[in-house]
Amino acid sequence: MQLKGKVAIVTGAGQGIGKAIALDLASNGAVVLVVDLDYKLAQETCALIGNSSDSLQVDIANLDDVQKMLDICVQKFGQIDILVNNAGVTRFVDIMGVTLEDWDLMHSVNARGTFFAMQFAAKRMIDGKVKGNIINIASIAGKGYSGSSNAAYAASKGAVIAMTTIAAQQLGRYGIRVNVVCPGTTQTALLDRIVDSIAESQGVKPEIVSNSRSSIIPTGRNSTPEDIAYMVTFLAGPGALNITGQAINVDGGLMTH
């Protein structure tokens, strides 16, 4: 119960990594506002947590929605201690196939939405004199991993890593820590769709693609959503009080920087 008394917002928490993060933060004592574009999925995650949580439908690319998310959190729970910017979008496409619509969507959610959620939350933390935690979810794609789903996605996640570093430097004087977790290949429904897309384009079975991808991971397995969640909970907790501005890989050793 290392996070007892803390209030957390987790975006994109209806499924996959975000759902695992919300559940793990709650299991460690945090009150969680479960946020997702798909309200039904957010409600389902919230139901698994129980009475100490609430759910909210938010389009992270809509800044009015983001502001409303912070307003509701403070009105309902009194403060915001932890923000986990997990919401993100991608698609599997070659560099020559990325469209302007792809670029704008990925950057509006992955980069712009993350930045302003971070800024709005930091203002609430500063106004409330809360020594808060902001944890962004990027990807090893943002560090140049060649197996990224597409170049636009990699660029948006690289932006998240850069803004995390600067935010940590400028918010540290308020007692606010900012870190970023960079997952590698993670076993989610999104990964299943990407594997299916690759398999279809190559005319092979999805199992062949999946085994090929996991065989290059030093630990021999994909990460699970829980692997990412455990790192987030650690960064939010008392064991990480002097850790800020870090981009931490959870990828089984795929990247060495």
Side-chain angles (χ1 to χ4, degrees):
M1 302 297 284
Q2 60 177 321
L3 300 178
K4 187 172 182 179
K6 303 295 185 182
V7 177
I9 295 175
V10 183
T11 68
Q15 59 186 329
I17 291 173
K19 179 179 180 179
I21 291 169
L23 293 175
D24 199 57
L25 291 175
S27 73
N28 279 273
V31 173
V32 181
L33 179 60
V34 179
V35 173
D36 203 280
L37 181 61
D38 188 323
Y39 187 49
K40 182 180 179 181
L41 291 178
Q43 288 178 306
E44 290 173 358
T45 300
C46 188
L48 292 173
I49 295 172
N51 294 333
S52 64
S53 69
D54 202 355
S55 56
L56 187 66
Q57 182 179 33
V58 171
D59 178 359
I60 204 71
N62 183 321
L63 299 192
D64 289 337
D65 269 17
V66 176
Q67 189 69 265
K68 180 181 72 174
M69 174 181 78
L70 273 300
D71 291 342
I72 289 175
C73 181
V74 173
Q75 289 166 8
K76 184 173 182 63
F77 300 116
Q79 64 190 54
I80 166 69
D81 299 283
I82 302 162
L83 169 67
V84 183
N85 276 313
N86 169 74
V89 293
T90 191
R91 62 181 289 243
F92 185 80
V93 61
D94 180 82
I95 190 168
M96 299 305 295
V98 174
T99 66
L100 178 61
E101 289 74 20
D102 292 333
W103 179 276
D104 287 346
L105 174 62
M106 288 179 226
H107 281 261
S108 67
V109 176
N110 301 351
R112 189 185 71 194
T114 292
F115 176 80
F116 284 102
M118 181 167 58
Q119 184 192 72
F120 295 167
K123 184 180 187 307
R124 292 290 189 172
M125 292 171 181
I126 293 167
D127 290 347
K129 295 181 170 53
V130 172
K131 295 186 183 300
N133 251 295
I134 298 172
I135 302 164
N136 298 319
I137 307 299
S139 167
I140 59 172
K143 294 185 173 186
Y145 175 58
S146 61
S148 170
S149 55
N150 67 77
Y153 174 78
S156 70
K157 292 302 188 178
V160 172
I161 294 170
M163 70 177 69
T164 297
T165 301
I166 295 171
Q169 293 168 352
Q170 297 184 1
L171 295 175
R173 64 181 178 271
Y174 301 106
I176 299 171
R177 295 189 293 111
V178 190
N179 291 288
V180 56
V181 177
C182 300
T185 305
T186 306
Q187 198 61 55
T188 63
L190 174 60
L191 177 63
D192 290 340
R193 291 196 295 272
I194 290 173
V195 166
D196 288 344
S197 178
I198 295 172
E200 183 178 357
S201 68
Q202 296 179 351
V204 299
K205 293 182 178 180
E207 293 81 4
I208 294 175
V209 175
S210 182
N211 292 339
S212 175
R213 290 173 68 92
S214 62
S215 68
I216 65 173
I217 302 173
T219 60
R221 71 171 180 88
N222 296 332
S223 294
T224 66
E226 289 72 26
D227 291 326
I228 316 305
Y230 299 152
M231 177 56 70
V232 170
T233 297
F234 166 71
L235 289 171
L241 286 179
N242 209 33
I243 299 176
T244 193
Q246 302 305 303
I248 302 172
N249 301 344
V250 182
D251 65 351
L254 272 173
M255 296 288 284
T256 58
H257 68 279

